[in-house]
Amino acid sequence: MTKYRFLSIIKLVINMLVNSNEMLLKAKQSGYAIAHFNINNLEWTRYILEASEGLKTPVILGVSEGAIKYIGGYLTVYHIVSSLMKDLNISIDVCLHLDHGSSVESCKKAIDNGFTSVMIDASQYPFLENVKITKEVVEYAHTRGVSVEAELGHFGGSEDGMEYNTFHARVEEVIPFYEMTKVDSLAPALGSVHGLYQKEPNLDFDTMKKIKELLPIPLVLHGGTGIPKEQIEKAIDCGINKININTELQITWAKEVRKYLDENQEVYDPRKIIGSGKDAIIKKVQALILEFMKKNSTKEDIDNKI
Ligand code: 13P
């Protein structure tokens, strides 16, 4: 029995979510990126799990505070993910991650309710305040086996219905930030935005590369929707090992559902309406995972690697 199969059986029995450390470290060593998909409800969680299981690739399920509120609460999210993993016999590594945790309290609540990774986003505060808040989260998380992502600079665009301005991470802040916080991964804002781009994305690859050379930890790219393939490849070469996607799945799903409703005006069963976006989401998730895991990888490449 292979090591992977053995671990799969153990995980299946105890239904274990994992933190993001091992999968991101492996991605860093091998030069690819793990996909982070935001979940918005039970159905999306299921589709993303099935899509990732189909490829036998690890996945990060990100949940924003807005989505947590919409779904019902931190514990409800945890139970949806962990129960689906059991019912669907999910054997891959799955990390449940709080996306843009806005406070120490929110991160602690996620951790106490079974999340295996948190992002503390204190990027709107001055540098030393960001350090202080991030450090407090790291100390709480690390004693509980939970990984922590933090943000330097600030991602602009639209998220959870709010608009934000962009400012870039500064290279000289990166090492002091890492040494003072001991964070596990860093999201440096370098031109990507949440939501739709108004014009062609303009990422600061030079700074990204410099940060990669300075830092021993994986880097995270937020605002993955709408970044052309060549720029994604370049970002991975410049040290990005986790790519966050939300809007792209929303657009993919909404387009299919709109079409289905147009063509089936008499349908009122929510399972048919919501489910009409299933195949499109699964296809999109699998295409993005393959794109992020290795340039031009095929499903067979990925299967063989694992
Ligand atoms: P997009 O909505 O632009 O894909 O960004 C998602 C994201 O970065 C979540 O943190």
Side-chain angles (χ1 to χ4, degrees):
M1 191 186 313
T2 64
K3 183 176 154 224
Y4 177 75
R5 183 85 198 111
F6 177 71
L7 286 174
S8 313
I9 292 170
I10 299 274
K11 269 193 292 158
L12 217 97
V13 172
I14 54 178
N15 186 30
M16 209 168 54
L17 287 161
V18 299
N19 67 31
S20 63
N21 285 339
E22 203 183 315
M23 61 174 88
L24 290 185
L25 215 69
K26 215 167 146 194
K28 186 171 165 60
Q29 282 159 359
S30 310
Y32 59 81
I34 299 285
H36 152 138
F37 296 107
N38 282 75
I39 54 173
N40 289 289
N41 57 22
L42 179 142
E43 287 85 350
W44 287 43
T45 310
R46 173 176 185 166
Y47 306 157
I48 296 164
L49 285 174
E50 285 182 350
S52 312
E53 179 72 25
L55 290 178
K56 289 275 179 275
T57 53
V59 72
I60 297 174
L61 302 178
V63 206
S64 69
E65 289 173 353
I68 289 170
K69 205 166 155 197
Y70 170 80
I71 293 169
Y74 296 77
L75 191 59
T76 309
V77 172
Y78 167 76
H79 280 298
I80 285 177
V81 174
S82 56
S83 303
L84 279 173
M85 282 179 67
K86 260 203 170 138
D87 278 344
L88 302 175
N89 290 332
I90 300 296
S91 63
I92 51 163
D93 280 346
V94 179
C95 169
L96 177 57
H97 174 80
L98 172 68
D99 192 24
H100 292 281
S102 61
S103 64
V104 174
E105 291 67 39
S106 174
C107 291
K108 284 185 175 173
K109 211 165 165 187
I111 294 166
D112 292 346
N113 283 287
F115 283 53
T116 47
S117 182
V118 293
M119 175 189 189
I120 171 68
D121 178 359
S123 60
Q124 74 275 31
Y125 296 108
F127 178 76
L128 284 177
E129 188 65 11
N130 188 353
V131 167
K132 183 174 163 276
I133 294 170
T134 302
K135 195 165 176 257
E136 193 178 338
V137 172
V138 168
E139 280 163 8
Y140 192 82
H142 281 183
T143 51
R144 289 158 178 83
V146 170
S147 47
V148 181
E149 174 184 328
E151 178 170 330
L152 269 182
H154 196 66
F155 294 101
S158 131
E159 189 156 53
D160 271 349
M162 305 279 283
E163 292 294 326
Y164 300 93
N165 289 328
T166 308
F167 58 90
H168 283 210
R170 304 212 321 246
V171 179
E172 61 276 19
E173 289 184 345
V174 158
I175 283 290
F177 186 82
Y178 169 65
E179 283 180 349
M180 286 192 271
T181 61
K182 291 287 176 267
V183 79
D184 301 292
S185 61
L186 182 70
L190 293 169
S192 60
V193 302
H194 293 123
L196 295 175
Y197 288 82
Q198 304 304 327
K199 45 187 184 199
E200 173 93 354
N202 183 18
L203 305 189
D204 181 354
F205 292 111
D206 288 342
T207 306
M208 207 180 273
K209 194 154 174 258
K210 278 185 198 144
I211 294 177
K212 171 198 176 174
E213 279 154 12
L214 287 170
L215 272 188
I217 54 171
L219 302 182
V220 179
L221 178 67
H222 281 247
T225 297
I227 300 181
K229 266 192 180 145
E230 322 76 68
Q231 291 199 37
I232 290 284
E233 269 186 26
K234 204 163 169 193
I236 294 170
D237 289 344
C238 291
I240 294 295
N241 300 120
K242 171 177 180 272
I243 301 177
N244 291 12
I245 297 284
N246 186 16
T247 308
E248 191 160 352
L249 291 194
Q250 296 189 355
I251 292 172
T252 301
W253 178 83
K255 198 172 146 209
E256 284 306 306
V257 173
R258 214 167 270 128
K259 186 166 154 254
Y260 178 79
L261 284 173
D262 279 348
E263 290 166 1
N264 298 276
Q265 304 268 342
E266 76 294 349
V267 172
Y268 49 81
D269 183 339
R271 292 168 297 185
K272 289 186 178 158
I273 298 171
I274 298 171
S276 65
K278 176 179 182 175
D279 291 350
I281 287 205
I282 289 186
K283 236 168 111 182
K284 178 61 76 179
V285 164
Q286 292 193 330
L288 288 169
I289 288 175
L290 291 173
E291 181 185 334
F292 298 165
M293 279 204 80
K294 220 42 169 182
K295 305 155 209 170
N296 307 321
S297 286
T298 61
K299 182 177 173 334
E300 286 68 36
D301 291 338
I302 303 271
D303 284 346
N304 289 339
K305 241 165 61 167
I306 291 166

